[in-house]
Amino acid sequence: MNGRTAIGVDVRKSHVMTESTGTRRMGEFFGDESGMGTVEIILIIVVLIGLVIIFKKQLTTLVNNVFKKITQDSGTVMNG
């Protein structure tokens, strides 16, 4: 017999993971970038939420001042 079973599998080869096979598989794992877009978007959202939390008071003041200015200037545009 040539080392093959009835279904054609070579039983002489050991399926023990060698160091080079493990290193190659780790390289393939870390080289796979299929989910990178999702991770990047999530990180950007987390950073933006963090910035909003940190600068909440300043942002609220800025938005209120902008809307006050728009309200004041809208009267001059409408009256013309």
Side-chain angles (χ1 to χ4, degrees):
M1 195 154 146
N2 62 1
R4 293 188 179 266
T5 63
I7 58 172
V9 177
D10 193 350
V11 293
R12 292 178 294 175
K13 293 183 180 178
S14 174
H15 292 288
V16 176
M17 187 183 303
T18 62
E19 186 175 335
S20 62
T21 305
T23 305
R24 184 172 26 127
R25 286 186 182 173
M26 285 185 65
E28 291 172 1
F29 174 75
F30 288 116
D32 182 21
E33 296 182 4
S34 60
M36 290 304 291
T38 305
V39 172
E40 291 168 351
I41 291 172
I42 290 172
L43 287 175
I44 290 170
I45 291 171
V46 167
V47 168
L48 289 175
I49 291 172
L51 289 173
V52 168
I53 291 171
I54 292 171
F55 296 109
K56 182 179 177 182
K57 184 176 179 181
Q58 292 89 342
L59 288 171
T60 305
T61 304
L62 175 68
V63 170
N64 286 335
N65 289 340
V66 168
F67 280 121
K68 283 179 188 175
K69 184 71 173 165
I70 290 172
T71 304
Q72 290 171 356
D73 290 347
S74 66
T76 59
V77 172
M78 298 301 274
N79 294 331

